[in-house]
Amino acid sequence: MIGLIIAIILFNLIAFKTNKRLTANQIVHIWAFTIAFQMLFDLIVEFKFHGYWYFYKGVDWKGLLAHTVLIPPVNMMFLNWFPFNKSIRQKITYLFFWVMGILMYETITLLPEPWGFFHYGWWKLWHAAIVDPVLLLILLGYYKWVCKLENQLLENPN
């Protein structure tokens, strides 16, 4: 539990202190999207197929923290620092390093309690290496859609 609390505090501090790009509206959208998307994904992989779990198998109060306030600030950081106006190569490199960082962090969460809080069933690190880039690209697509909607609203406020 100590590792989860440290990560939540650290990720939220960094995300909110370094944010230069995301508007309050975008933060709310990303936060809600992340929780909904993670819950949908975890409903299938964690709860139905027992691929992994936080703390204990099944629903528990401590796991709720990981589902609601751990990942949204990470997604904020990913989007805030994303090199939108750079080359495809730089974007791919950025994505690669984020996936590597996520995989390293996931490895740390596998430590025994009180530092670790994540457990594997049949899920392995290589599954995350394949799925994480797809999830980040979905997040990126969602963010671009929110920005497009905001721009349409600014152009035509009726």
Side-chain angles (χ1 to χ4, degrees), residues 69-115:
V69 293
L70 178 66
I71 306 302
V74 173
N75 285 347
M76 285 176 58
M77 289 184 285
F78 173 78
L79 293 170
N80 183 51
W81 301 327
F82 191 84
F84 286 100
N85 298 320
K86 302 292 184 183
S87 69
I88 293 291
R89 184 178 195 189
Q90 288 171 305
K91 291 175 184 177
I92 291 170
T93 301
Y94 179 82
L95 184 65
F96 173 80
F97 281 108
W98 264 90
V99 170
M100 291 298 105
I102 291 169
L103 295 176
M104 286 189 295
Y105 175 74
E106 188 170 312
T107 302
I108 293 168
T109 65
L110 293 169
L111 291 171
E113 287 191 52
W115 301 105

mmCIF file of all heavy atoms in Angstrom, residues 69-115:
data_model
loop_
_atom_site.group_PDB
_atom_site.id
_atom_site.type_symbol
_atom_site.label_atom_id
_atom_site.label_comp_id
_atom_site.label_asym_id
_atom_site.label_seq_id
_atom_site.Cartn_x
_atom_site.Cartn_y
_atom_site.Cartn_z
ATOM 1 N N VAL A 69 -7.330 6.904 -9.239
ATOM 2 C CA VAL A 69 -6.447 8.069 -9.104
ATOM 3 C C VAL A 69 -4.976 7.794 -9.425
ATOM 4 O O VAL A 69 -4.145 8.682 -9.262
ATOM 5 C CB VAL A 69 -6.564 8.709 -7.692
ATOM 6 C CG1 VAL A 69 -7.923 9.310 -7.480
ATOM 7 C CG2 VAL A 69 -6.240 7.710 -6.604
ATOM 8 N N LEU A 70 -4.659 6.620 -9.900
ATOM 9 C CA LEU A 70 -3.272 6.292 -10.241
ATOM 10 C C LEU A 70 -2.951 6.579 -11.708
ATOM 11 O O LEU A 70 -1.962 7.230 -12.019
ATOM 12 C CB LEU A 70 -2.977 4.818 -9.933
ATOM 13 C CG LEU A 70 -1.574 4.319 -10.270
ATOM 14 C CD1 LEU A 70 -0.545 5.010 -9.391
ATOM 15 C CD2 LEU A 70 -1.492 2.812 -10.107
ATOM 16 N N ILE A 71 -3.783 6.122 -12.614
ATOM 17 C CA ILE A 71 -3.488 6.209 -14.043
ATOM 18 C C ILE A 71 -3.856 7.557 -14.675
ATOM 19 O O ILE A 71 -3.133 8.028 -15.555
ATOM 20 C CB ILE A 71 -4.178 5.054 -14.814
ATOM 21 C CG1 ILE A 71 -3.792 3.704 -14.210
ATOM 22 C CG2 ILE A 71 -3.836 5.093 -16.301
ATOM 23 C CD1 ILE A 71 -2.320 3.413 -14.178
ATOM 24 N N PRO A 72 -4.944 8.236 -14.260
ATOM 25 C CA PRO A 72 -5.272 9.515 -14.909
ATOM 26 C C PRO A 72 -4.139 10.544 -14.918
ATOM 27 O O PRO A 72 -3.887 11.160 -15.970
ATOM 28 C CB PRO A 72 -6.499 10.013 -14.130
ATOM 29 C CG PRO A 72 -7.169 8.753 -13.680
ATOM 30 C CD PRO A 72 -6.027 7.828 -13.340
ATOM 31 N N PRO A 73 -3.398 10.746 -13.824
ATOM 32 C CA PRO A 73 -2.305 11.727 -13.919
ATOM 33 C C PRO A 73 -1.175 11.267 -14.846
ATOM 34 O O PRO A 73 -0.509 12.102 -15.464
ATOM 35 C CB PRO A 73 -1.826 11.881 -12.474
ATOM 36 C CG PRO A 73 -2.274 10.652 -11.774
ATOM 37 C CD PRO A 73 -3.543 10.237 -12.452
ATOM 38 N N VAL A 74 -0.980 9.972 -14.965
ATOM 39 C CA VAL A 74 0.032 9.457 -15.901
ATOM 40 C C VAL A 74 -0.389 9.803 -17.326
ATOM 41 O O VAL A 74 0.421 10.258 -18.140
ATOM 42 C CB VAL A 74 0.216 7.931 -15.725
ATOM 43 C CG1 VAL A 74 1.142 7.367 -16.797
ATOM 44 C CG2 VAL A 74 0.743 7.623 -14.334
ATOM 45 N N ASN A 75 -1.671 9.638 -17.618
ATOM 46 C CA ASN A 75 -2.167 9.995 -18.944
ATOM 47 C C ASN A 75 -2.072 11.495 -19.188
ATOM 48 O O ASN A 75 -1.802 11.931 -20.312
ATOM 49 C CB ASN A 75 -3.600 9.498 -19.128
ATOM 50 C CG ASN A 75 -3.652 8.004 -19.345
ATOM 51 O OD1 ASN A 75 -2.636 7.365 -19.593
ATOM 52 N ND2 ASN A 75 -4.831 7.438 -19.260
ATOM 53 N N MET A 76 -2.275 12.291 -18.141
ATOM 54 C CA MET A 76 -2.096 13.738 -18.276
ATOM 55 C C MET A 76 -0.657 14.069 -18.659
ATOM 56 O O MET A 76 -0.416 14.892 -19.540
ATOM 57 C CB MET A 76 -2.445 14.449 -16.961
ATOM 58 C CG MET A 76 -3.898 14.568 -16.655
ATOM 59 S SD MET A 76 -4.176 15.313 -15.023
ATOM 60 C CE MET A 76 -3.324 16.892 -15.162
ATOM 61 N N MET A 77 0.299 13.435 -17.996
ATOM 62 C CA MET A 77 1.710 13.688 -18.300
ATOM 63 C C MET A 77 2.031 13.265 -19.728
ATOM 64 O O MET A 77 2.711 13.990 -20.457
ATOM 65 C CB MET A 77 2.617 12.961 -17.308
ATOM 66 C CG MET A 77 2.600 13.552 -15.920
ATOM 67 S SD MET A 77 3.767 12.752 -14.784
ATOM 68 C CE MET A 77 2.933 11.215 -14.419
ATOM 69 N N PHE A 78 1.550 12.098 -20.132
ATOM 70 C CA PHE A 78 1.791 11.605 -21.487
ATOM 71 C C PHE A 78 1.299 12.622 -22.519
ATOM 72 O O PHE A 78 2.019 12.954 -23.462
ATOM 73 C CB PHE A 78 1.093 10.249 -21.688
ATOM 74 C CG PHE A 78 1.151 9.743 -23.095
ATOM 75 C CD1 PHE A 78 2.300 9.148 -23.586
ATOM 76 C CD2 PHE A 78 0.054 9.863 -23.945
ATOM 77 C CE1 PHE A 78 2.358 8.682 -24.888
ATOM 78 C CE2 PHE A 78 0.105 9.406 -25.249
ATOM 79 C CZ PHE A 78 1.262 8.812 -25.725
ATOM 80 N N LEU A 79 0.089 13.124 -22.340
ATOM 81 C CA LEU A 79 -0.474 14.077 -23.300
ATOM 82 C C LEU A 79 0.179 15.459 -23.197
ATOM 83 O O LEU A 79 0.399 16.116 -24.217
ATOM 84 C CB LEU A 79 -1.983 14.200 -23.083
ATOM 85 C CG LEU A 79 -2.792 12.956 -23.423
ATOM 86 C CD1 LEU A 79 -4.223 13.109 -22.944
ATOM 87 C CD2 LEU A 79 -2.738 12.660 -24.918
ATOM 88 N N ASN A 80 0.479 15.892 -21.999
ATOM 89 C CA ASN A 80 1.071 17.214 -21.801
ATOM 90 C C ASN A 80 2.416 17.330 -22.503
ATOM 91 O O ASN A 80 2.745 18.365 -23.073
ATOM 92 C CB ASN A 80 1.215 17.505 -20.309
ATOM 93 C CG ASN A 80 1.752 18.891 -20.044
ATOM 94 O OD1 ASN A 80 1.237 19.878 -20.561
ATOM 95 N ND2 ASN A 80 2.789 18.968 -19.233
ATOM 96 N N TRP A 81 3.201 16.270 -22.467
ATOM 97 C CA TRP A 81 4.546 16.309 -23.037
ATOM 98 C C TRP A 81 4.627 15.717 -24.450
ATOM 99 O O TRP A 81 5.714 15.664 -25.039
ATOM 100 C CB TRP A 81 5.514 15.570 -22.115
ATOM 101 C CG TRP A 81 5.565 16.142 -20.731
ATOM 102 C CD1 TRP A 81 5.412 17.461 -20.375
ATOM 103 C CD2 TRP A 81 5.763 15.430 -19.519
ATOM 104 N NE1 TRP A 81 5.519 17.593 -19.010
ATOM 105 C CE2 TRP A 81 5.728 16.367 -18.453
ATOM 106 C CE3 TRP A 81 5.969 14.091 -19.207
ATOM 107 C CZ2 TRP A 81 5.897 16.008 -17.117
ATOM 108 C CZ3 TRP A 81 6.133 13.732 -17.885
ATOM 109 C CH2 TRP A 81 6.101 14.686 -16.853
ATOM 110 N N PHE A 82 3.506 15.251 -24.982
ATOM 111 C CA PHE A 82 3.529 14.606 -26.304
ATOM 112 C C PHE A 82 4.040 15.584 -27.368
ATOM 113 O O PHE A 82 3.609 16.731 -27.423
ATOM 114 C CB PHE A 82 2.138 14.101 -26.697
ATOM 115 C CG PHE A 82 2.161 13.215 -27.904
ATOM 116 C CD1 PHE A 82 2.449 11.872 -27.780
ATOM 117 C CD2 PHE A 82 1.927 13.740 -29.173
ATOM 118 C CE1 PHE A 82 2.495 11.051 -28.904
ATOM 119 C CE2 PHE A 82 1.980 12.932 -30.295
ATOM 120 C CZ PHE A 82 2.256 11.585 -30.158
ATOM 121 N N PRO A 83 4.933 15.135 -28.243
ATOM 122 C CA PRO A 83 5.514 16.020 -29.268
ATOM 123 C C PRO A 83 4.605 16.154 -30.505
ATOM 124 O O PRO A 83 4.940 15.685 -31.594
ATOM 125 C CB PRO A 83 6.837 15.323 -29.606
ATOM 126 C CG PRO A 83 6.543 13.868 -29.384
ATOM 127 C CD PRO A 83 5.587 13.823 -28.209
ATOM 128 N N PHE A 84 3.478 16.812 -30.344
ATOM 129 C CA PHE A 84 2.491 16.914 -31.418
ATOM 130 C C PHE A 84 3.059 17.513 -32.700
ATOM 131 O O PHE A 84 2.689 17.090 -33.791
ATOM 132 C CB PHE A 84 1.278 17.737 -30.960
ATOM 133 C CG PHE A 84 0.395 17.006 -30.006
ATOM 134 C CD1 PHE A 84 0.486 17.250 -28.646
ATOM 135 C CD2 PHE A 84 -0.513 16.060 -30.450
ATOM 136 C CE1 PHE A 84 -0.323 16.568 -27.753
ATOM 137 C CE2 PHE A 84 -1.319 15.370 -29.569
ATOM 138 C CZ PHE A 84 -1.230 15.630 -28.215
ATOM 139 N N ASN A 85 3.920 18.506 -32.600
ATOM 140 C CA ASN A 85 4.431 19.207 -33.775
ATOM 141 C C ASN A 85 5.790 18.702 -34.227
ATOM 142 O O ASN A 85 6.529 19.420 -34.894
ATOM 143 C CB ASN A 85 4.495 20.716 -33.497
ATOM 144 C CG ASN A 85 3.116 21.277 -33.219
ATOM 145 O OD1 ASN A 85 2.145 20.899 -33.865
ATOM 146 N ND2 ASN A 85 3.033 22.160 -32.241
ATOM 147 N N LYS A 86 6.107 17.488 -33.879
ATOM 148 C CA LYS A 86 7.402 16.903 -34.260
ATOM 149 C C LYS A 86 7.186 15.836 -35.337
ATOM 150 O O LYS A 86 6.069 15.516 -35.718
ATOM 151 C CB LYS A 86 8.090 16.281 -33.034
ATOM 152 C CG LYS A 86 8.331 17.252 -31.900
ATOM 153 C CD LYS A 86 9.362 18.299 -32.267
ATOM 154 C CE LYS A 86 9.631 19.188 -31.072
ATOM 155 N NZ LYS A 86 10.533 20.247 -31.328
ATOM 156 N N SER A 87 8.275 15.234 -35.774
ATOM 157 C CA SER A 87 8.210 14.213 -36.821
ATOM 158 C C SER A 87 7.599 12.916 -36.290
ATOM 159 O O SER A 87 7.536 12.691 -35.081
ATOM 160 C CB SER A 87 9.619 13.919 -37.351
ATOM 161 O OG SER A 87 10.389 13.255 -36.361
ATOM 162 N N ILE A 88 7.179 12.075 -37.214
ATOM 163 C CA ILE A 88 6.634 10.758 -36.859
ATOM 164 C C ILE A 88 7.669 9.961 -36.076
ATOM 165 O O ILE A 88 7.333 9.290 -35.100
ATOM 166 C CB ILE A 88 6.206 9.971 -38.134
ATOM 167 C CG1 ILE A 88 5.026 10.645 -38.809
ATOM 168 C CG2 ILE A 88 5.902 8.517 -37.819
ATOM 169 C CD1 ILE A 88 3.737 10.566 -38.028
ATOM 170 N N ARG A 89 8.902 10.059 -36.486
ATOM 171 C CA ARG A 89 9.984 9.337 -35.805
ATOM 172 C C ARG A 89 10.073 9.770 -34.331
ATOM 173 O O ARG A 89 10.232 8.939 -33.440
ATOM 174 C CB ARG A 89 11.300 9.576 -36.516
ATOM 175 C CG ARG A 89 12.439 8.791 -35.943
ATOM 176 C CD ARG A 89 13.693 9.032 -36.722
ATOM 177 N NE ARG A 89 14.668 8.006 -36.384
ATOM 178 C CZ ARG A 89 15.910 8.035 -36.754
ATOM 179 N NH1 ARG A 89 16.357 9.020 -37.497
ATOM 180 N NH2 ARG A 89 16.726 7.068 -36.403
ATOM 181 N N GLN A 90 10.000 11.058 -34.076
ATOM 182 C CA GLN A 90 10.066 11.561 -32.705
ATOM 183 C C GLN A 90 8.835 11.120 -31.901
ATOM 184 O O GLN A 90 8.954 10.815 -30.714
ATOM 185 C CB GLN A 90 10.197 13.084 -32.699
ATOM 186 C CG GLN A 90 11.572 13.548 -33.155
ATOM 187 C CD GLN A 90 11.633 15.039 -33.355
ATOM 188 O OE1 GLN A 90 10.845 15.616 -34.092
ATOM 189 N NE2 GLN A 90 12.588 15.672 -32.684
ATOM 190 N N LYS A 91 7.698 11.067 -32.544
ATOM 191 C CA LYS A 91 6.475 10.610 -31.872
ATOM 192 C C LYS A 91 6.580 9.129 -31.506
ATOM 193 O O LYS A 91 6.203 8.723 -30.410
ATOM 194 C CB LYS A 91 5.251 10.856 -32.748
ATOM 195 C CG LYS A 91 4.927 12.321 -32.912
ATOM 196 C CD LYS A 91 3.783 12.522 -33.892
ATOM 197 C CE LYS A 91 3.551 14.006 -34.117
ATOM 198 N NZ LYS A 91 2.514 14.263 -35.102
ATOM 199 N N ILE A 92 7.110 8.328 -32.412
ATOM 200 C CA ILE A 92 7.290 6.902 -32.147
ATOM 201 C C ILE A 92 8.315 6.693 -31.034
ATOM 202 O O ILE A 92 8.116 5.851 -30.144
ATOM 203 C CB ILE A 92 7.691 6.149 -33.441
ATOM 204 C CG1 ILE A 92 6.498 6.128 -34.407
ATOM 205 C CG2 ILE A 92 8.160 4.730 -33.133
ATOM 206 C CD1 ILE A 92 6.826 5.636 -35.803
ATOM 207 N N THR A 93 9.393 7.461 -31.069
ATOM 208 C CA THR A 93 10.414 7.376 -30.019
ATOM 209 C C THR A 93 9.811 7.743 -28.664
ATOM 210 O O THR A 93 10.054 7.065 -27.655
ATOM 211 C CB THR A 93 11.611 8.292 -30.343
ATOM 212 O OG1 THR A 93 12.162 7.894 -31.601
ATOM 213 C CG2 THR A 93 12.677 8.226 -29.263
ATOM 214 N N TYR A 94 9.019 8.811 -28.633
ATOM 215 C CA TYR A 94 8.347 9.239 -27.400
ATOM 216 C C TYR A 94 7.449 8.115 -26.873
ATOM 217 O O TYR A 94 7.509 7.775 -25.684
ATOM 218 C CB TYR A 94 7.520 10.496 -27.694
ATOM 219 C CG TYR A 94 6.760 11.041 -26.505
ATOM 220 C CD1 TYR A 94 7.395 11.844 -25.566
ATOM 221 C CD2 TYR A 94 5.411 10.755 -26.333
ATOM 222 C CE1 TYR A 94 6.701 12.355 -24.472
ATOM 223 C CE2 TYR A 94 4.712 11.263 -25.243
ATOM 224 C CZ TYR A 94 5.367 12.056 -24.326
ATOM 225 O OH TYR A 94 4.671 12.549 -23.249
ATOM 226 N N LEU A 95 6.655 7.530 -27.760
ATOM 227 C CA LEU A 95 5.771 6.429 -27.379
ATOM 228 C C LEU A 95 6.583 5.245 -26.848
ATOM 229 O O LEU A 95 6.229 4.654 -25.818
ATOM 230 C CB LEU A 95 4.912 6.006 -28.571
ATOM 231 C CG LEU A 95 3.873 4.931 -28.339
ATOM 232 C CD1 LEU A 95 2.786 5.416 -27.375
ATOM 233 C CD2 LEU A 95 3.248 4.515 -29.655
ATOM 234 N N PHE A 96 7.678 4.908 -27.524
ATOM 235 C CA PHE A 96 8.538 3.807 -27.102
ATOM 236 C C PHE A 96 9.055 4.023 -25.680
ATOM 237 O O PHE A 96 8.986 3.120 -24.840
ATOM 238 C CB PHE A 96 9.708 3.639 -28.081
ATOM 239 C CG PHE A 96 10.722 2.639 -27.632
ATOM 240 C CD1 PHE A 96 10.495 1.275 -27.800
ATOM 241 C CD2 PHE A 96 11.907 3.043 -27.025
ATOM 242 C CE1 PHE A 96 11.428 0.338 -27.369
ATOM 243 C CE2 PHE A 96 12.845 2.120 -26.594
ATOM 244 C CZ PHE A 96 12.601 0.760 -26.771
ATOM 245 N N PHE A 97 9.583 5.215 -25.410
ATOM 246 C CA PHE A 97 10.121 5.482 -24.070
ATOM 247 C C PHE A 97 9.024 5.490 -23.007
ATOM 248 O O PHE A 97 9.264 5.060 -21.874
ATOM 249 C CB PHE A 97 10.945 6.773 -24.053
ATOM 250 C CG PHE A 97 12.314 6.578 -24.622
ATOM 251 C CD1 PHE A 97 12.653 7.107 -25.857
ATOM 252 C CD2 PHE A 97 13.267 5.831 -23.939
ATOM 253 C CE1 PHE A 97 13.923 6.907 -26.388
ATOM 254 C CE2 PHE A 97 14.533 5.628 -24.462
ATOM 255 C CZ PHE A 97 14.862 6.171 -25.694
ATOM 256 N N TRP A 98 7.830 5.937 -23.348
ATOM 257 C CA TRP A 98 6.730 5.877 -22.380
ATOM 258 C C TRP A 98 6.360 4.434 -22.067
ATOM 259 O O TRP A 98 6.132 4.078 -20.911
ATOM 260 C CB TRP A 98 5.514 6.663 -22.888
ATOM 261 C CG TRP A 98 5.522 8.034 -22.324
ATOM 262 C CD1 TRP A 98 6.109 9.140 -22.863
ATOM 263 C CD2 TRP A 98 4.968 8.435 -21.072
ATOM 264 N NE1 TRP A 98 5.935 10.208 -22.020
ATOM 265 C CE2 TRP A 98 5.241 9.803 -20.924
ATOM 266 C CE3 TRP A 98 4.260 7.780 -20.079
ATOM 267 C CZ2 TRP A 98 4.834 10.536 -19.801
ATOM 268 C CZ3 TRP A 98 3.855 8.512 -18.973
ATOM 269 C CH2 TRP A 98 4.145 9.864 -18.836
ATOM 270 N N VAL A 99 6.306 3.602 -23.086
ATOM 271 C CA VAL A 99 5.982 2.187 -22.854
ATOM 272 C C VAL A 99 7.069 1.539 -22.001
ATOM 273 O O VAL A 99 6.762 0.794 -21.062
ATOM 274 C CB VAL A 99 5.774 1.433 -24.190
ATOM 275 C CG1 VAL A 99 5.681 -0.068 -23.966
ATOM 276 C CG2 VAL A 99 4.514 1.949 -24.893
ATOM 277 N N MET A 100 8.326 1.848 -22.274
ATOM 278 C CA MET A 100 9.415 1.296 -21.455
ATOM 279 C C MET A 100 9.277 1.754 -19.998
ATOM 280 O O MET A 100 9.453 0.965 -19.065
ATOM 281 C CB MET A 100 10.785 1.724 -21.996
ATOM 282 C CG MET A 100 11.165 1.106 -23.319
ATOM 283 S SD MET A 100 11.293 -0.699 -23.235
ATOM 284 C CE MET A 100 9.810 -1.182 -24.071
ATOM 285 N N GLY A 101 8.961 3.019 -19.796
ATOM 286 C CA GLY A 101 8.762 3.535 -18.442
ATOM 287 C C GLY A 101 7.595 2.862 -17.732
ATOM 288 O O GLY A 101 7.692 2.507 -16.547
ATOM 289 N N ILE A 102 6.514 2.668 -18.454
ATOM 290 C CA ILE A 102 5.341 1.990 -17.877
ATOM 291 C C ILE A 102 5.687 0.559 -17.501
ATOM 292 O O ILE A 102 5.298 0.072 -16.435
ATOM 293 C CB ILE A 102 4.143 2.047 -18.848
ATOM 294 C CG1 ILE A 102 3.633 3.489 -18.970
ATOM 295 C CG2 ILE A 102 3.030 1.111 -18.395
ATOM 296 C CD1 ILE A 102 2.637 3.697 -20.101
ATOM 297 N N LEU A 103 6.425 -0.123 -18.369
ATOM 298 C CA LEU A 103 6.823 -1.511 -18.080
ATOM 299 C C LEU A 103 7.751 -1.588 -16.867
ATOM 300 O O LEU A 103 7.616 -2.502 -16.037
ATOM 301 C CB LEU A 103 7.481 -2.144 -19.302
ATOM 302 C CG LEU A 103 6.579 -2.334 -20.524
ATOM 303 C CD1 LEU A 103 7.390 -2.871 -21.701
ATOM 304 C CD2 LEU A 103 5.393 -3.223 -20.222
ATOM 305 N N MET A 104 8.659 -0.630 -16.745
ATOM 306 C CA MET A 104 9.530 -0.604 -15.553
ATOM 307 C C MET A 104 8.695 -0.358 -14.292
ATOM 308 O O MET A 104 8.909 -1.009 -13.268
ATOM 309 C CB MET A 104 10.617 0.463 -15.698
ATOM 310 C CG MET A 104 11.704 0.076 -16.664
ATOM 311 S SD MET A 104 13.129 1.198 -16.669
ATOM 312 C CE MET A 104 12.418 2.697 -17.282
ATOM 313 N N TYR A 105 7.761 0.581 -14.385
ATOM 314 C CA TYR A 105 6.911 0.861 -13.232
ATOM 315 C C TYR A 105 6.074 -0.378 -12.872
ATOM 316 O O TYR A 105 5.949 -0.739 -11.704
ATOM 317 C CB TYR A 105 5.988 2.056 -13.497
ATOM 318 C CG TYR A 105 5.023 2.272 -12.365
ATOM 319 C CD1 TYR A 105 5.471 2.811 -11.158
ATOM 320 C CD2 TYR A 105 3.697 1.887 -12.468
ATOM 321 C CE1 TYR A 105 4.605 2.975 -10.086
ATOM 322 C CE2 TYR A 105 2.827 2.048 -11.412
ATOM 323 C CZ TYR A 105 3.282 2.593 -10.228
ATOM 324 O OH TYR A 105 2.425 2.739 -9.166
ATOM 325 N N GLU A 106 5.528 -1.053 -13.880
ATOM 326 C CA GLU A 106 4.731 -2.258 -13.617
ATOM 327 C C GLU A 106 5.583 -3.324 -12.932
ATOM 328 O O GLU A 106 5.100 -4.019 -12.035
ATOM 329 C CB GLU A 106 4.137 -2.801 -14.911
ATOM 330 C CG GLU A 106 3.160 -3.925 -14.699
ATOM 331 C CD GLU A 106 2.387 -4.293 -15.949
ATOM 332 O OE1 GLU A 106 1.864 -3.392 -16.627
ATOM 333 O OE2 GLU A 106 2.302 -5.513 -16.247
ATOM 334 N N THR A 107 6.836 -3.440 -13.320
ATOM 335 C CA THR A 107 7.746 -4.393 -12.676
ATOM 336 C C THR A 107 7.923 -4.050 -11.198
ATOM 337 O O THR A 107 7.922 -4.941 -10.341
ATOM 338 C CB THR A 107 9.105 -4.405 -13.406
ATOM 339 O OG1 THR A 107 8.883 -4.744 -14.782
ATOM 340 C CG2 THR A 107 10.046 -5.405 -12.785
ATOM 341 N N ILE A 108 8.050 -2.765 -10.892
ATOM 342 C CA ILE A 108 8.180 -2.335 -9.493
ATOM 343 C C ILE A 108 6.922 -2.661 -8.698
ATOM 344 O O ILE A 108 7.001 -3.085 -7.540
ATOM 345 C CB ILE A 108 8.500 -0.821 -9.425
ATOM 346 C CG1 ILE A 108 9.894 -0.558 -9.989
ATOM 347 C CG2 ILE A 108 8.372 -0.293 -7.995
ATOM 348 C CD1 ILE A 108 10.197 0.906 -10.244
ATOM 349 N N THR A 109 5.758 -2.509 -9.322
ATOM 350 C CA THR A 109 4.502 -2.784 -8.606
ATOM 351 C C THR A 109 4.331 -4.264 -8.279
ATOM 352 O O THR A 109 3.477 -4.613 -7.465
ATOM 353 C CB THR A 109 3.264 -2.305 -9.401
ATOM 354 O OG1 THR A 109 3.142 -3.062 -10.610
ATOM 355 C CG2 THR A 109 3.347 -0.818 -9.703
ATOM 356 N N LEU A 110 5.129 -5.108 -8.895
ATOM 357 C CA LEU A 110 5.069 -6.544 -8.624
ATOM 358 C C LEU A 110 5.862 -6.941 -7.371
ATOM 359 O O LEU A 110 5.796 -8.096 -6.942
ATOM 360 C CB LEU A 110 5.583 -7.339 -9.825
ATOM 361 C CG LEU A 110 4.728 -7.262 -11.087
ATOM 362 C CD1 LEU A 110 5.477 -7.849 -12.272
ATOM 363 C CD2 LEU A 110 3.387 -7.943 -10.886
ATOM 364 N N LEU A 111 6.593 -5.976 -6.793
ATOM 365 C CA LEU A 111 7.321 -6.257 -5.549
ATOM 366 C C LEU A 111 6.338 -6.670 -4.458
ATOM 367 O O LEU A 111 5.160 -6.325 -4.506
ATOM 368 C CB LEU A 111 8.089 -5.014 -5.090
ATOM 369 C CG LEU A 111 9.272 -4.581 -5.944
ATOM 370 C CD1 LEU A 111 9.781 -3.222 -5.482
ATOM 371 C CD2 LEU A 111 10.367 -5.629 -5.885
ATOM 372 N N PRO A 112 6.818 -7.375 -3.442
ATOM 373 C CA PRO A 112 5.928 -7.732 -2.324
ATOM 374 C C PRO A 112 5.448 -6.483 -1.583
ATOM 375 O O PRO A 112 6.095 -5.437 -1.618
ATOM 376 C CB PRO A 112 6.813 -8.590 -1.415
ATOM 377 C CG PRO A 112 8.006 -8.958 -2.223
ATOM 378 C CD PRO A 112 8.154 -7.938 -3.306
ATOM 379 N N GLU A 113 4.305 -6.625 -0.928
ATOM 380 C CA GLU A 113 3.783 -5.525 -0.106
ATOM 381 C C GLU A 113 4.772 -5.253 1.020
ATOM 382 O O GLU A 113 5.470 -6.159 1.445
ATOM 383 C CB GLU A 113 2.415 -5.903 0.460
ATOM 384 C CG GLU A 113 1.316 -5.885 -0.597
ATOM 385 C CD GLU A 113 -0.073 -5.986 0.004
ATOM 386 O OE1 GLU A 113 -0.389 -5.192 0.925
ATOM 387 O OE2 GLU A 113 -0.822 -6.851 -0.440
ATOM 388 N N PRO A 114 4.892 -4.029 1.458
ATOM 389 C CA PRO A 114 4.002 -2.892 1.271
ATOM 390 C C PRO A 114 4.334 -2.049 0.043
ATOM 391 O O PRO A 114 3.610 -1.123 -0.273
ATOM 392 C CB PRO A 114 4.227 -2.058 2.530
ATOM 393 C CG PRO A 114 5.664 -2.274 2.855
ATOM 394 C CD PRO A 114 5.946 -3.700 2.449
ATOM 395 N N TRP A 115 5.433 -2.363 -0.682
ATOM 396 C CA TRP A 115 5.821 -1.544 -1.828
ATOM 397 C C TRP A 115 5.027 -1.904 -3.065
ATOM 398 O O TRP A 115 4.634 -1.038 -3.818
ATOM 399 C CB TRP A 115 7.321 -1.674 -2.068
ATOM 400 C CG TRP A 115 8.080 -1.251 -0.857
ATOM 401 C CD1 TRP A 115 8.714 -2.068 0.030
ATOM 402 C CD2 TRP A 115 8.215 0.067 -0.344
ATOM 403 N NE1 TRP A 115 9.254 -1.331 1.057
ATOM 404 C CE2 TRP A 115 8.963 -0.011 0.849
ATOM 405 C CE3 TRP A 115 7.782 1.317 -0.769
ATOM 406 C CZ2 TRP A 115 9.286 1.100 1.611
ATOM 407 C CZ3 TRP A 115 8.110 2.432 -0.014
ATOM 408 C CH2 TRP A 115 8.849 2.319 1.154
#
